């Protein structure tokens, strides 16, 4: 393992990243920029072709950033897992979804680890980055890899390092987000830390893989619970006829002990709505009933229905029903500035409205089409006059590209779930 540390420090180690999505591709690029030869591995042939052709499919990465590394011979992508044998380090960045029952679905991790197992050799470093419950590295990855007869900490290194990337964030990217690392043994932690130190500004070693796994779940549970709290406050303020947005703006002037979170149509993305349930599942398996996670989940999941209630009331005030109403949705991505619709609450709002007989259309500069099995819809460009022709405009994602003054001026009715029209007043503007 000493030899691997040396190869890492000299940046001669050959790095591999399995799973080239929102997490894996930026990580692969950081390794390549640091001078490593990087091989990305993915089961999705379209992504392989895109990378090798110098095309980005991740919102924060420009084609040029990929082309630079591909042309320099530092980045290549393949679907052939046999390349693992030639790699020194392997980072696993595959999805970790939930089953319908809200149990963890480790299928992707298990499949990736099975491929690594086939080609594992002494002197390699394997790091799991996918968000998962505490114990996964030790209970699922370790036994699979040690079934080869090789021993972690002795023949190969194994670690967990949670990914904290925030797609669409202009200030923080893989390079300047501090990286937490916990190894199966202290040797594993040292080698994994050495790898990240080559390309990430700050690395924080912790005592075990379990701690590193739990760090990520604390962070995401913190967000889910605080968003659940502020969503409940929004429901309360609605009942009390108080403007929740004004309350938050004033509360956040407190210079200590308060951090603003904002209400909205619900939680979306691949992390916050999902990860806390990984923790909840594991806690229950150990006889502990986690109350905050479940409660926040209930409140956050109830928000799309509340938004539909607001739309129904607003239309009712104009003597219109949801059935037959032309409703135009602004923004379907799960948050502003990204093209990701996974778990997006906008889809839930749209589904409920469709079921009630509304006639839906939408615009989103980042999402040209919705392709769900229950809905195929293409985004409409916001041409002059269109918003004036519908019954209701609903702001579900506050992309910067929308002209909110124009929307306020032309739409007959706006239901704004993000306070995107702050500063605009009128009886036709209804806020969450
Ligand atoms: N997206 C985020 O903002 C974010 C942030 C922090 C952590 N995470 C976590 O990182 C992990 C990856 O998330 P993501 O958003 O990058 O997912 P993603 O869906 O964008 O990318 C995952 C990639 O893995 C590939 N893949 C699936 N199974 C594979 C296999 N067996 N072998 C090789 N490739 C395989 C998929 O084709 C896909 O390209 C998840 O655990 C997620 O919770 C995501």
């Amino acid at each position: 393992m000493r030899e691997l540390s040396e190869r890492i420090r000299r940046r001669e180690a050959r790095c591999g990243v399995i799973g080239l999505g929102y997490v894996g591709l930026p990580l692969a690029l950081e390794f390549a920029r640091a001078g490593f030869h990087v091989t990305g591995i993915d089961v999705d042939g379209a992504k392989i072709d895109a990378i090798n052709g110098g095309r980005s499919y991740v919102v924060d990465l420009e084609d040029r950033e990929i082309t630079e590394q591909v042309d320099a011979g530092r980045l290549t992508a393949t679907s052939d897992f046999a390349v693992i044998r030639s790699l020194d380090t392997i980072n696993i960045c595959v999805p970790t979804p939930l089953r319908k029952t809200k149990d963890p679905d480790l299928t992707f991790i298990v499949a990736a680890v099975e491929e690594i197992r086939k080609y594992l050799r002494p002197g390699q470093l394997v790091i799991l980055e996918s968000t998962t419950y505490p114990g996964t590295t030790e209970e699922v990855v370790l036994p699979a890899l040690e079934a080869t007869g090789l021993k972690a900490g002795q023949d190969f290194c194994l670690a967990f390092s949670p990914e904290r990337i925030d797609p669409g964030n202009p200030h923080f990217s893989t390079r300047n987000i501090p990286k937490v690392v916990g190894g199966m043994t202290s040797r594993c932690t040292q080698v994994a830390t050495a790898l990240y130190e080559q390309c990430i500004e700050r690395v924080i070693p912790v005592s075990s893989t379990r701690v590193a796994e739990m760090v990520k779940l604390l962070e995401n549970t913190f967000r889910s619970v605080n968003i659940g709290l502020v969503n409940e406050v929004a429901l309360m303020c609605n009942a009390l006829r108080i403007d929740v947005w004004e309350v938050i703006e004033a509360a956040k002037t407190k210079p200590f002990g308060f951090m603003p979170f904002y209400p909205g149509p619900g939680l979306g993305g691949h992390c916050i709505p999902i990860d806390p349930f990984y923790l909840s599942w594991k806690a229950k398996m150990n006889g502990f009933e986690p109350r905050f996670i479940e409660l926040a989940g209930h409140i956050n999941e109830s928000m799309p229905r509340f938004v539909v209630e607001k739309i129904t009331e607003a239309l009712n005030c104009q003597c219109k029903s949801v059935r037959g109403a032309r409703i135009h949705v602004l923004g379907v991505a799960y948050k502003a500035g990204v093209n990701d619709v996974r778990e997006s609450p906008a889809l839930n709002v749209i589904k409920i409205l469709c079921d009630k007989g509304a006639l839906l259309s939408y615009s989103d500069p980042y999402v040209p089409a919705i392709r769900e099995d229950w809905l195929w819809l293409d985004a409409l460009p916001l041409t002059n006059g269109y918003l004036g022709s519908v019954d209701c405009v609903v702001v579900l994602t506050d992309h910067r590209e929308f002209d909110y003054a124009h929307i306020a001026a032309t739409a007959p009715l706006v239901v704004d779930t993000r306070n995107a029209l702050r500063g605009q007043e009128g009886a036709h503007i209804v806020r969450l």
Side-chain angles (χ1 to χ4, degrees), residues 57-105:
Y57 46 84
V58 170
V59 73
D60 298 315
L61 298 175
E62 288 174 21
D63 291 353
R64 174 188 52 80
E65 297 179 76
I66 295 174
T67 315
E68 270 169 17
Q69 301 309 323
V70 171
D71 289 352
R74 284 190 294 266
L75 177 65
T76 177
T78 179
S79 291
D80 181 4
F81 287 86
V83 74
I84 291 173
R85 181 159 281 284
S86 69
L87 301 173
D88 296 303
T89 71
I90 302 135
N91 289 64
I92 307 170
C93 306
V94 296
T96 41
L98 284 175
R99 297 187 189 282
K100 282 209 168 68
T101 51
K102 288 210 158 68
D103 290 351
D105 178 359

Side-chain angles (χ1 to χ4, degrees), residues 250-377:
K252 81 180 196 201
T253 58
K254 186 178 180 189
F256 49 86
F258 183 81
M259 186 186 283
F261 284 83
Y262 298 95
L267 286 183
H270 185 17
C271 294
I272 316 292
I274 290 176
D275 303 345
F277 289 100
Y278 267 68
L279 180 55
S280 171
W281 177 85
K282 186 65 178 175
K284 283 184 201 158
M285 294 294 278
N286 285 269
F288 185 91
E289 194 66 40
R291 286 163 292 177
F292 275 112
I293 294 175
E294 302 287 326
L295 180 58
H298 282 308
I299 294 169
N300 292 328
E301 283 165 21
S302 76
M303 292 311 287
R305 250 176 217 288
F306 178 67
V307 170
V308 171
E309 260 175 49
K310 284 293 243 191
I311 297 168
T312 310
E313 267 174 38
L315 283 168
N316 196 42
C317 287
Q318 298 198 348
C319 302
K320 290 177 181 169
S321 65
V322 171
R323 176 170 299 280
R326 294 183 62 196
I327 299 180
H328 188 73
V329 166
L330 292 178
V332 294
Y334 81 88
K335 68 171 181 176
V338 303
N339 61 356
D340 193 350
V341 293
R342 287 178 296 179
E343 310 291 326
S344 175
L347 298 180
N348 295 335
V349 172
I350 290 173
K351 174 98 176 63
I352 302 170
L353 288 171
C354 283
D355 289 348
K356 287 183 182 291
L359 307 171
L360 264 296
S361 56
Y362 87 98
S363 300
D364 189 315
Y366 294 84
V367 185
I370 300 175
R371 294 288 179 263
E372 298 288 320
D373 46 11
W374 53 272
L375 181 74
W376 272 52
L377 207 55

Side-chain angles (χ1 to χ4, degrees), residues 402-418:
F402 293 133
D403 179 349
Y404 294 105
H406 172 76
I407 293 162
T410 49
L413 177 64
V414 186
V415 174
D416 179 8
T417 67
R418 302 279 190 179

Side-chain angles (χ1 to χ4, degrees), residues 18-24 41-44 47 81 93-96 108 111-112 129-131 163-167 216 270-271 275 334 340 342:
I18 301 184
L20 300 168
Y22 292 91
V23 165
I41 308 171
D42 203 293
V43 288
D44 182 345
K47 286 188 175 138
F81 287 86
C93 306
V94 296
T96 41
F108 299 97
E129 293 217 5
S130 304
T131 308
E163 178 52 57
R164 293 162 142 177
I165 201 159
D166 183 20
K216 174 75 185 175
H270 185 17
C271 294
D275 303 345
Y334 81 88
D340 193 350
R342 287 178 296 179

Side-chain angles (χ1 to χ4, degrees), residues 4-5 8-9 11 31 36 89 91 125-127 129 157-161 179-208 212:
L4 175 58
S5 297
I8 287 173
R9 287 202 180 88
R11 306 198 182 175
F31 285 142
F36 290 104
T89 71
N91 289 64
L125 163 66
V126 178
I127 307 176
E129 293 217 5
C157 281
L158 176 62
F160 181 84
S161 177
K179 197 96 174 88
V180 171
V181 187
M184 282 310 308
T185 65
S186 55
R187 188 88 197 102
C188 297
T189 309
Q190 278 165 20
V191 179
T193 301
L195 175 65
Y196 289 124
E197 278 175 347
Q198 308 309 311
C199 62
I200 290 175
E201 287 173 10
R202 188 166 165 231
V203 183
I204 301 113
V206 294
S207 63
S208 65

